[in-house]
Amino acid sequence: MFVTLEGIEGSGKSTLLQGLAARLESIGLAPLVTREPGGTRTGDAVRELLLGSDHEMTPLVEAFLMNASRAQLVAQRIQPALAAGRVVLSDRYADSSIAYQGYGRGLDIPMLRLLCLAATTGLEPNVTLLLDLSFEDSRARRADRSAADRFEREDAEFFERVRHGYLEMAKSGRRWHVLDATQAPDALLESAWEIVRPRVNVHA
Ligand code: TYD
């Protein structure tokens, strides 16, 4: 069972991920919790390159690096965990590349899908929770965070395109569930748990 969280900056993915992990642990499961870009030593080194502000980088290079990190994460951690029957929770996955490098940066989406297909060897999430938030709310929540990374310095139009892209993707498939990210963290966790809980097998 593979669950991914998606959404723009400040949508509360990390808090929700921790909450879901704790709920799964409370019913006797040991989920693998991870994030992108990163999640492996190689991926973390790539993450530094991607988020550090002083690297020049074309959108295509950004897409390759995101998928390099992803390929390592899928092979080294996600596939083995799923093969062992564990639940995997990931803060972002391939849909982020379509949303940010496709809708956001304007790269060709069919080309990006092929790149993601190569990186993931076709592994798709069973459930994707989209934490939907407006740019205004995202900016307000990020106001007190200190250093902005390369993405956080993008303008309102960029994030509106990314948000729109996510909402378009969410119309396309049954694995998608759109959650209102302006809800209080507890309410958000309840909504997410209602979706995840019936889908996990507890053998105990
Ligand atoms: P991070 O600090 O993890 O942001 P967040 O807390 O919002 O998840 O930074 C990850 C950044 O990388 C985020 O701005 C989204 C971007 N990103 C892409 O552009 N494409 C991708 O494929 C992935 C995985 C992330």
Side-chain angles (χ1 to χ4, degrees):
M1 169 74 176
F2 181 21
V3 180
T4 59
L5 269 57
E6 296 285 352
I8 63 171
E9 278 68 1
S11 57
K13 289 183 282 86
S14 319
T15 307
L16 179 58
L17 201 73
Q18 287 165 17
L20 284 174
R23 290 281 174 106
L24 290 166
E25 282 160 11
S26 76
I27 59 168
L29 299 177
L32 170 70
V33 179
T34 189
R35 71 165 178 186
E36 285 201 359
T40 62
R41 278 182 65 187
T42 302
D44 286 338
V46 173
R47 180 186 173 89
E48 293 289 307
L49 268 176
L50 278 162
L51 301 186
S53 50
D54 51 352
H55 301 294
E56 59 212 1
M57 197 177 290
T58 69
L60 184 61
V61 171
E62 193 175 271
F64 274 116
L65 290 177
M66 292 292 178
N67 279 285
S69 167
R70 178 168 301 132
Q72 187 67 34
L73 180 66
V74 168
Q76 186 183 325
R77 301 195 67 204
I78 298 181
Q79 291 279 26
L82 292 173
R86 293 173 71 189
V87 177
V88 176
L89 300 175
S90 185
D91 186 343
R92 301 191 180 280
Y93 189 58
D95 299 312
S96 282
S97 288
I98 308 300
Y100 283 76
Q101 280 67 54
Y103 287 91
R105 301 272 196 236
L107 287 182
D108 183 61
I109 290 176
M111 180 278 289
L112 285 171
R113 289 201 185 281
L114 284 175
L115 207 54
C116 292
L117 183 70
T120 61
T121 64
L123 177 69
E124 286 219 1
N126 301 101
V127 173
T128 298
L129 305 175
L130 171 58
L131 277 62
D132 183 48
L133 192 70
S134 70
F135 173 72
E136 289 71 32
D137 287 331
S138 162
R139 186 169 53 185
R141 288 185 184 189
R142 285 183 285 127
D144 53 349
R145 293 190 194 172
S146 49
D149 65 36
R150 270 185 345 100
F151 290 96
E152 289 168 346
R153 279 179 286 145
E154 289 295 333
D155 59 13
E157 285 73 33
F158 177 83
F159 286 105
E160 290 302 346
R161 288 197 299 277
V162 172
R163 182 191 190 193
H164 165 75
Y166 272 132
L167 290 170
E168 284 296 308
M169 283 190 275
K171 290 181 194 161
S172 69
R174 279 182 306 148
R175 71 178 162 90
W176 287 87
H177 300 265
V178 184
L179 300 174
D180 174 3
T182 63
Q183 296 176 78
D186 285 354
L188 197 58
L189 177 57
E190 287 310 325
S191 316
W193 187 236
E194 275 176 30
I195 296 162
V196 172
R197 176 69 185 90
R199 290 174 168 79
V200 291
N201 292 323
V202 183
H203 302 293

